Structures are given as structure tokens and as C-alpha cells.
Amino acid sequence: MTALNYIGIQIVENAGGLNNHSDPMSTPASTVEVSDPTLKRADLHCHSRFSIFKYFRRANTRDCYNAPEDVYKIAKERGMNYVTLTDHDSIDGALYLLNKHPDLKDFFIGEEVETYFPETGQRIHVGVWGLNEAQHREIQRLRPNIRELIPYMKSERLLFGVNHLFQNYRMKNVAGRYIAELLDMFDVFEVLNGAMASFHNKMVQQLIDTVQREHGRRISMVGGSDAHTLKHVAKVHTVSKGDTVNEFLASIRAGDCFGWGEEMRFRDLVADIYLLVLAYHGETGADLRSRDYTPADKMIQLAGRLASIPTAISGLPAAITSLNYLKQIVITKGISMRFDRLRDEIRR
């Protein structure tokens, strides 16, 4: 197979900083066409209503309200040849879709796994693709310790990679040591995440480009929308080759792939937060009528919804989103300013 060259964001090193050269990503994703008919597409990072949200669980909050069928439909309408769901620590959405539509040949199970370095508590989000139910159960058992999780997934020949490398990065960690250890563990990195700041994505790609050039490593660079609303599903995705799901995933494993699309603008991120708040309130009636919850559960859910109204009006969701976005930029700009030293640390 002819190797694919990455033709998304082009980044070059310049005095320890970042420059964006000949950036086709400045063109809206909807107007860009990859003309080679052998190229196939899949959004490797998107969520459904089955995605586990670990905060405010008693209030029945979710970080996504998309029905799996709607995610599949939108992805296909936007040109995806293959579709997956990567819900947080859950494959229930994928199983739900497959149970309703068992004949789907262009769908595969995915998951976004939250794992940890046990000595520091540093969180890492890992995309896993093409797994089955038994593997999911074992992954969930092992995920508290990344040093146990990674050997298991390698032994199972699973395709997995690091999502949004610096989103959860703790600045007290030594960046060179942190990155070097992840490079030892992973052969796939998400270099284009639709919900992350553009500067973050460019920093990750520059880092991986440098490792490949200076260390002779072949690392797969993938993209995903990280969509929590239907508006952004498949607007960032991975392009590779393969006439079947297995061939497509094998091409990604071999590094014959690239990320494509355009990140959300900051105002889109804020708008998504408020769309999620509206969706939360939209399910009030169904939750109150549901027999799955006790009266006490329903009271907590109702209290949560009432409390969310002044919270949303006060602008707190926008403020939190702004701080997270700013954190991404501060961290990645700080790393880019000492890129030469970081490269030396990784080399050692």
C-alpha cells in the first residue's frame, strides 16, 4: 500500500515557536474535497447520549444527548464511509445501535477510556477502536492504572491512541518525561481534535512530526470531531484506506492516515454548552415519568434542573469554557516556547 502523507495542518518549527504554513485547514471543511476515491473517512472521536458523565450523576446530567442513530445518520450524510461511537468508558451506545441494526457493515465499536498514571493521578484519555464486549469489560477493570491497561490492549492487538494530548496535562509534571513515556506507550496520536484550540492541535502535530523525523518512528496521526452535539459530528475526521472496517483500521495502525477538517471556533464551544443545558431541560418530563428512578432520584434531578437555570443565566458555563480554552493555549504556548529543550529531553 502506498503510504499516505499528512495533508492537514502543516507546521514548521521556527525559533522554538509555531508557524502555520500553507494551511488548507483555513478552508471550511465543507468546501474541501479529497478527490482520491480510494480514500475512506471516519470520525474517530464522537459521543452519544450513552457517554458516561462522572459529574452530578444523581442529577442525571449527561455530556451528550445525541441518539446513536442520529450520530450514525449525520456522519453518513457528511460523507463518512465508516462510523463509530467513542463514548466515555461505555460501549452501550454502540451496542444499542448494533442491536437495532445488526446488519450494519460500516459501523465499529469504539470507546474513550479515562486512565491514570497511578503515581501522579495524571489523567489520560485513550481512544480505542474495534473492540468487543469482553475487551471492554477488561479495559474497564484495568483502566485505573495505565501501566496495566496498555500492555493488555497491546496483547489483544487493539488499535488505540492518545486523545487531546495536553487537555488534562498537569503543569507540575515534567513535560519531557510525560511526553516521552506516552511515546513509549502509544503509536497513535490524535493530532486534530475538533473541540480543542487550534494552537493545541498544531503543537501536538509539530511534536509528532519531530519525533518521526528525528527518531525514525512511524506514528499514526488521526483526527476526530469530539462532537457532543450533532452540529459538529464528522466535521473533523480521519482519512485512510480500506474497503472494509478491518482494512481501514489496519491502514490506520500502519500509519497510512491523516486528520482532516476544521476545529470549532470558541463561540461554537460556548454555544454547544448551552445546547447541552437546553437538552438537559428537554428531558425533564421523560425523567419524571420514568420508572427507572425513585422519587428521591426525581427530586434530586428536578433540583438540579432548577439550579442550572440561574447558573446558565449567570454565564458560569461560558466562564468555565473560557478558562479551559485559555488553559489549553497557555500550556501549549509554554511548551512551544521551550520546544528545543523539550526535544532534547525526549531524545535522552
Side-chain angles (χ1 to χ4, degrees), residues 183-247:
L183 286 167
D184 285 340
M185 292 180 173
F186 293 90
D187 296 314
V188 180
F189 282 76
E190 182 185 66
V191 301
L192 185 56
N193 179 296
M196 298 296 289
S198 177
F199 202 91
H200 170 277
N201 289 332
K202 293 174 183 179
M203 181 69 247
V204 176
Q205 193 200 337
Q206 181 181 13
L207 176 66
I208 300 306
D209 279 343
T210 301
V211 170
Q212 292 194 112
R213 185 174 62 252
E214 297 187 356
H215 295 255
R217 285 274 306 276
R218 188 69 186 272
I219 298 175
S220 303
M221 295 190 285
V222 300
S225 67
D226 201 359
H228 290 74
T229 65
L230 293 174
K231 179 180 179 181
H232 300 288
V233 169
K235 289 188 176 180
V236 172
H237 52 271
T238 298
V239 182
S240 189
K241 293 187 176 183
D243 293 328
T244 66
V245 164
N246 287 338
E247 289 178 359

Side-chain angles (χ1 to χ4, degrees), residues 332-345:
T332 50
K333 278 189 177 291
I335 289 174
S336 74
M337 291 175 65
R338 49 193 174 94
F339 190 82
D340 287 338
R341 189 176 71 184
L342 176 64
R343 185 172 57 189
D344 291 338
E345 290 173 356

Side-chain angles (χ1 to χ4, degrees), residues 229-280:
T229 65
L230 293 174
K231 179 180 179 181
H232 300 288
V233 169
K235 289 188 176 180
V236 172
H237 52 271
T238 298
V239 182
S240 189
K241 293 187 176 183
D243 293 328
T244 66
V245 164
N246 287 338
E247 289 178 359
F248 183 77
L249 296 179
S251 294
I252 293 173
R253 185 190 301 275
D256 294 321
C257 58
F258 56 86
W260 192 260
E262 183 180 36
E263 303 101 338
M264 297 182 214
R265 292 166 294 186
F266 173 71
R267 67 187 185 192
D268 293 325
L269 287 172
V270 175
D272 270 10
I273 296 298
Y274 281 92
L275 286 174
L276 291 173
V277 173
L278 289 174
Y280 178 49

Side-chain angles (χ1 to χ4, degrees), residues 156-170:
E156 292 291 301
R157 293 285 298 159
L158 284 168
L159 180 65
F160 60 92
V162 180
N163 288 343
H164 39 64
L165 178 61
F166 295 113
Q167 183 187 50
N168 299 312
Y169 173 68
R170 294 183 175 183

Side-chain angles (χ1 to χ4, degrees), residues 22 34 39 57 71 75 94-95 102 116 136 143-144 168-169 233 245 278 302 307 324 346 348:
S22 304
V34 180
L39 297 181
R57 296 285 294 276
V71 176
L95 295 178
Y116 303 85
H136 160 72
R143 74 178 182 88
N168 299 312
Y169 173 68
V233 169
V245 164
L278 289 174
L302 185 59
N324 285 333
I346 294 173
R348 290 197 294 269

Side-chain angles (χ1 to χ4, degrees), residues 20 28 91 110 179 238 279 298 310 313:
N20 188 4
I91 61 171
I179 295 168
T238 298
K298 293 178 181 180
I313 293 173

Side-chain angles (χ1 to χ4, degrees), residues 16-63:
L18 295 176
N19 280 332
N20 188 4
H21 284 237
S22 304
D23 186 0
M25 305 299 281
S26 61
T27 304
S30 60
T31 68
V32 174
E33 294 293 337
V34 180
S35 58
D36 187 343
T38 67
L39 297 181
K40 310 296 182 182
R41 306 165 185 261
D43 182 351
L44 294 184
H45 192 168
C46 60
H47 298 275
S48 80
R49 63 180 294 106
F50 289 86
S51 207
I52 292 175
F53 188 49
K54 62 184 180 181
Y55 304 108
F56 311 115
R57 296 285 294 276
R58 291 294 302 277
N60 201 29
T61 57
R62 305 176 188 274
D63 71 349

Side-chain angles (χ1 to χ4, degrees), residues 297-308:
D297 289 333
K298 293 178 181 180
M299 288 296 295
I300 292 172
Q301 292 170 17
L302 185 59
R305 286 180 165 95
L306 292 174
S308 72

